Amino acid sequence: MPPPECLGAAHPRLVLYLPHRPNGLAQLIVDPSAQALVAANSNHWRKIVTLLAKIASPIADDWRRFRDEELFRQTALYFEPTLSNSARWHWIGGKDNLQRFENLHHNAQPLPKTPEVSIDAEKQLLLTPYPDYRQLSNTLVSKIRAALGDEGFYDD
């Protein structure tokens, strides 16, 4: 049986594509939760789910509750380098990770004064550094949220 390719919502608002799978993925698919993911893995995964929540939460200051209660009902993690047909927005974090998407054609443009983050609004594609606090500071998360807000990400 091949390893699972995703964790989270069947029709996510946002998919974060990652090059590696967490430990305990089979059990997490049965009962997805950020707390269980972090408990079965390292602090590295806590950072990933926290950044996903900070960006995906409809209310910026509510990201902790969103992470703990709604994260995997509204978002998903994908581990294969193919964009999901069921996702509203796609987030690829990291240059090495982006290189795995061999047939991905996009027209992502850097955010003003933030060349490390790009958006292709037509393909609903967000390109950022790898989701780690050292590379995605709170200031950068705020800029990403503003750009996604301008594209209507938080409207529904």
Side-chain angles (χ1 to χ4, degrees), residues 10-37:
H11 299 284
R13 300 170 48 94
L14 178 65
V15 168
L16 173 57
Y17 297 86
L18 297 170
H20 52 278
R21 292 168 172 79
N23 294 328
L25 183 57
Q27 179 58 37
L28 289 166
I29 288 172
V30 173
D31 185 21
S33 84
Q35 297 92 339
L37 179 97

Side-chain angles (χ1 to χ4, degrees), residues 81 92-104 127:
I92 301 172
K95 289 181 185 178
D96 290 343
N97 191 20
L98 178 59
Q99 291 176 355
R100 298 183 321 134
F101 291 77
E102 295 175 0
N103 296 318
L104 177 63
L127 304 175

Side-chain angles (χ1 to χ4, degrees), residues 39-116:
N41 291 275
S42 65
N43 191 45
H44 170 75
W45 283 96
R46 182 181 62 79
K47 294 174 184 177
I48 290 171
V49 295
T50 295
L51 286 165
L52 178 56
K54 284 183 173 185
I55 289 174
S57 177
I59 301 167
D61 293 340
D62 193 36
W63 66 265
R64 286 176 187 86
R65 186 202 59 77
F66 182 86
R67 178 195 60 202
D68 296 343
E69 297 175 16
E70 295 185 43
L71 185 68
F72 291 123
R73 283 186 261 164
Q74 294 193 33
T75 69
L77 301 174
Y78 272 53
F79 309 106
E80 293 297 319
T82 304
L83 296 185
S84 164
N85 290 330
S86 64
R88 182 168 166 215
W89 272 83
H90 310 275
W91 173 13
I92 301 172
K95 289 181 185 178
D96 290 343
N97 191 20
L98 178 59
Q99 291 176 355
R100 298 183 321 134
F101 291 77
E102 295 175 0
N103 296 318
L104 177 63
H105 302 288
H106 64 83
N107 189 27
Q109 300 298 310
L111 298 182
K113 299 182 183 178
T114 312
E116 63 272 34

Side-chain angles (χ1 to χ4, degrees), residues 107-148:
N107 189 27
Q109 300 298 310
L111 298 182
K113 299 182 183 178
T114 312
E116 63 272 34
V117 176
S118 299
I119 288 183
D120 182 334
E122 184 178 322
K123 290 196 185 288
Q124 296 182 307
L125 177 65
L126 170 66
L127 304 175
T128 72
Y130 190 81
D132 182 277
Y133 294 152
R134 292 169 295 199
Q135 298 181 65
L136 285 177
S137 66
N138 284 335
T139 301
L140 197 51
V141 167
S142 293
K143 290 179 181 182
I144 292 168
R145 285 187 59 84
L148 288 175

